[in-house]
Amino acid sequence: MKEKWIAYPTILEGETVELIPLEKEHFEELYAAAADKELWELVPTDCSDKTLFDKNYECALSERETGNQYPFVIRHKETGKLIGSTRFFEIYPADRKLEIGWTWITKEFWGTAINLECKLLLLTFCFEILKTNRVQLKTKDDNFRSRKAIEKIGGVFEGILRKDKVLSDGSTRNAAYYSILDDEWTTAKLKIEALIKAKQNVS
């Protein structure tokens, strides 16, 4: 079995959100948040479908046991509600690298600082606690909104992997790959903090 790089339970606490380990008892509330089809339009797997949701989140729990993934739910501190999910996956302790993805938040929080705060919590944990060399992020090649968001937080574009994923409907998607390296983290962190501050000032 692969070495477990991330201790359980790891909880990441921010100003407005808390990232807590996914548990089976979260499924009902999390699915209620995930049932909006619009959340999944640009994502390979449509988890507004209850069967696909259960399959993918059950898989995330079993993958945590093997050290391959570490899934979180996003809890809004003010209301106590679950408003989304994110996870570490493609975890390779020997190479000091992993990927951040499977991130979604409910529509009421789109355009707020919450997604940025989640990324800051996750990346800070990666580079300052785990001491990763590389954090990978990827998105659909034609999801320009997501690509721009990754670039804004310091993600460096590495290329397109063609037909990287088979989608729920059987079609394929190309993936745009990005990364942030350990020696780029200080600059990226300042960028994210500035973006959060700008969002907070607007609201």
Side-chain angles (χ1 to χ4, degrees):
M1 188 185 286
K2 187 192 286 187
E3 170 202 345
K4 283 192 188 174
W5 198 9
I6 301 165
Y8 172 83
T10 288
I11 297 169
L12 306 178
E13 187 166 352
E15 201 177 311
T16 58
V17 294
E18 194 175 27
L19 304 185
I20 55 180
L22 173 74
E23 305 295 355
K24 182 79 177 179
E25 56 262 31
H26 293 138
F27 280 27
E28 190 178 339
E29 185 184 351
L30 192 63
Y31 177 69
D36 180 355
K37 207 164 184 65
E38 201 178 333
L39 300 179
W40 307 95
E41 282 176 354
L42 295 169
V43 181
T45 306
D46 179 4
C47 285
S48 68
D49 177 302
K50 183 72 164 61
T51 306
L52 284 175
F53 175 91
D54 287 342
K55 180 183 169 190
N56 281 282
Y57 283 86
E58 290 279 6
C59 176
L61 288 179
S62 62
E63 288 286 282
R64 182 171 69 203
E65 291 305 306
T66 61
N68 293 322
Q69 296 190 15
Y70 195 96
F72 294 96
V73 291
I74 303 167
R75 190 177 72 84
H76 188 237
K77 288 171 73 172
E78 190 181 334
T79 62
K81 289 181 180 174
L82 300 185
I83 61 165
S85 182
T86 190
R87 73 182 71 165
F88 295 129
F89 63 111
E90 298 288 340
I91 298 171
Y92 294 98
D95 296 316
R96 312 207 69 78
K97 68 176 186 176
L98 51 70
E99 184 168 334
I100 293 172
W102 278 89
T103 305
W104 59 272
I105 55 171
T106 54
K107 273 194 302 196
E108 65 185 297
F109 295 105
W110 286 8
T112 70
I114 281 178
N115 189 38
L116 288 165
E117 188 179 342
C118 290
K119 291 296 187 292
L120 182 62
L121 290 169
L122 294 163
L123 288 164
T124 300
F125 178 76
C126 288
F127 290 113
E128 298 179 19
I129 305 298
L130 294 181
K131 305 294 185 188
T132 51
N133 290 332
R134 165 192 173 85
V135 174
Q136 180 169 288
L137 304 112
K138 67 174 182 280
T139 189
K140 205 172 173 207
D141 65 334
D142 59 358
N143 185 350
F144 296 109
R145 181 178 153 195
S146 180
R147 290 182 63 175
K148 191 175 176 184
I150 293 170
E151 287 161 9
K152 269 188 170 180
I153 65 168
V156 176
F157 177 59
E158 295 183 324
I160 306 283
L161 262 64
R162 299 175 301 159
K163 294 195 175 182
D164 185 50
K165 187 95 177 166
V166 176
L167 308 184
S168 303
D169 64 2
S171 65
T172 57
R173 75 125 191 224
N174 301 331
Y177 275 71
Y178 290 83
S179 68
I180 300 172
L181 305 183
D182 51 352
D183 49 10
E184 296 162 348
W185 169 234
T186 303
T187 304
K189 187 177 186 180
L190 290 171
K191 280 184 180 179
I192 300 167
E193 288 171 341
L195 288 166
I196 290 172
K197 193 171 280 187
K199 291 267 188 200
Q200 288 169 339
N201 289 341
V202 167
S203 58

